[in-house]
Amino acid sequence: MLAASARRALRAAASSSASKAARPYSATVAPHDRLVVAVGGNALQRRGDRLTIENMLKAAAEMAPTVAALHADHEVVLTHGNGPQVGELALERSNATFDVLGAESMGQIGYVLAQALASQGVNACPIVCQVVVDAQSDAFKDPSKFVGPVYGAKEAHALGTSLGWIFKPDGEYYRRVVPSPLPEEILQIDAISTLLESGKDSLVIACGGGGVPVSRVPSCPTTLQGVEAVIDKDMCGAKLACDLKADGYIILTDGGGIWKNFGKPDAMEMSLATPEYLLGWVSCLGPCLPRALFFLFFVPLTVDSLQFVRSCILSMPHAPPSRRAHWK
């Protein structure tokens, strides 16, 4: 399933590269003029902390200087995850659908991030974004997106039995999983572009939690309906970066980069790789494969390579084409 997703992502990257106009570049101008920066939902919930608004505000305040520093030198669009937050909302309101819960978490987290960035002198503008997905996607046959807290085996089984939720192992624990289809169209992309081009120096917060998943009604394509799913924020961030013709796509994470033979004695962390190289090693990437997919989706096959730096993953548009991969 993941290998097939990798190939679909690679085809998407190839098609997107044909329409992605390169930004002018010279030795005297920094290549990363426009950046899409993705932060995980877990960045607003420190490990071991309870998921409260107070803890979210504290975590956002700690993260804000890093984002503000990027904004000082670049045009930044910030996107974020919502796994812990949307999972918590689902526990509180088990009858609510995930499109509605996603919109709620997007507003909640957007407010928290905007408040934290304001303390750094950054005017942030959160936007609730709807993202079109294929309601017939194979992703609905094999839910894979972790949401909510971790559970022991007995508690997960009880919740699965009583609420009909699906659980999968996440390390030594279990977490709920929901479908995570690929993003096909960001409906508010023109509004995001308008804000960026307004010259007001605002930092746009968009596509939080991967956006609100919606699909078009086949008999009336202009009519939208919510979809019970959670789009992966990194994959939607890649789509956002493509649509905005961004110069770079950064994922801020505490989990390091992409590893070959992850968890094995001969594991090696990548520092630089081409999309073709990643695709050739899909069977060895293990749990790191989903992270690789985001870059297969974003990086055109012609000249771009990827650099993976611990705690910060970004694309490098001018790496030597002859190098296939580097290892730390």
Side-chain angles (χ1 to χ4, degrees):
M1 177 70 73
L2 283 176
S5 298
R7 293 185 177 90
R8 288 196 299 272
L10 191 57
R11 287 196 296 270
S15 62
S16 69
S17 65
S19 59
K20 179 181 176 181
R23 287 175 171 266
Y25 173 78
S26 72
T28 59
V29 178
H32 295 301
D33 294 328
R34 176 175 290 179
L35 301 178
V36 171
V37 179
V39 297
N42 288 309
L44 296 174
Q45 182 191 15
R46 299 303 185 208
R47 298 180 191 277
D49 287 352
R50 293 180 59 243
L51 183 58
T52 64
I53 295 297
E54 291 75 18
N55 283 337
M56 288 174 61
L57 288 167
K58 180 181 177 181
E62 294 174 355
M63 178 181 60
T66 299
V67 178
L70 285 170
H71 179 67
D73 296 323
H74 307 287
E75 188 179 65
V76 172
V77 177
L78 182 64
T79 189
H80 59 81
N82 69 345
Q85 293 78 14
V86 78
E88 190 76 13
L89 288 172
L91 284 172
E92 296 172 2
R93 299 167 55 227
S94 59
N95 291 327
T97 56
F98 265 95
D99 56 318
V100 174
L101 295 175
E104 290 182 13
S105 67
M106 198 184 308
Q108 178 192 70
I109 298 171
Y111 157 69
V112 168
L113 291 173
Q115 186 183 94
L117 288 166
S119 68
Q120 299 293 315
V122 176
N123 179 30
C125 179
I127 300 178
V128 175
C129 298
Q130 299 174 88
V131 178
V132 176
V133 301
D134 179 4
Q136 305 303 316
S137 167
D138 288 343
F140 292 93
K141 301 176 183 177
D142 182 24
S144 60
K145 177 68 175 175
F146 288 117
V147 297
V150 297
Y151 299 95
K154 290 184 179 180
E155 191 175 10
H157 181 267
L159 286 170
T161 301
S162 61
L163 298 177
W165 292 355
I166 300 173
F167 288 84
K168 288 185 177 180
D170 185 12
E172 59 181 312
Y173 297 100
Y174 289 82
R175 289 180 72 188
R176 184 184 179 186
V177 291
V178 297
S180 186
L182 291 173
E184 295 188 347
E185 179 185 1
I186 300 171
L187 296 180
Q188 281 69 39
I189 194 66
D190 288 341
I192 298 168
S193 297
T194 298
L195 281 170
L196 290 174
E197 294 163 7
S198 67
K200 300 298 184 182
D201 198 32
S202 295
L203 185 152
V204 181
I205 303 175
C207 296
V212 181
V214 297
S215 65
R216 297 189 182 277
V217 176
S219 59
C220 184
T222 57
T223 300
L224 303 172
Q225 58 186 7
V227 175
E228 185 80 324
V230 173
I231 303 169
D232 189 279
K233 73 99 174 39
D234 291 324
M235 188 63 81
C236 192
K239 171 67 174 170
L240 181 64
C242 287
D243 288 354
L244 293 176
K245 299 180 175 61
D247 300 289
Y249 178 36
I250 296 176
I251 297 178
L252 300 178
T253 174
D254 62 357
I258 294 178
W259 294 70
K260 184 176 76 171
N261 298 329
F262 182 81
K264 298 179 180 179
D266 59 344
M268 293 185 291
E269 186 178 3
M270 293 185 183
S271 63
L272 185 69
T274 63
E276 302 96 324
Y277 185 91
L278 287 177
L279 188 64
W281 282 94
V282 291
S283 62
C284 299
L285 297 179
C288 294
L289 177 57
R291 187 172 292 168
L293 294 182
F294 315 141
F295 294 100
L296 291 176
F297 190 85
F298 169 60
V299 181
L301 302 181
T302 52
V303 297
D304 283 5
S305 292
L306 309 179
Q307 181 178 5
F308 304 100
V309 181
R310 191 166 189 80
S311 298
C312 184
I313 309 175
L314 64 155
S315 68
M316 284 190 62
H318 301 288
S322 62
R323 302 300 293 269
R324 301 295 294 173
H326 297 284
W327 306 95
K328 291 185 178 180

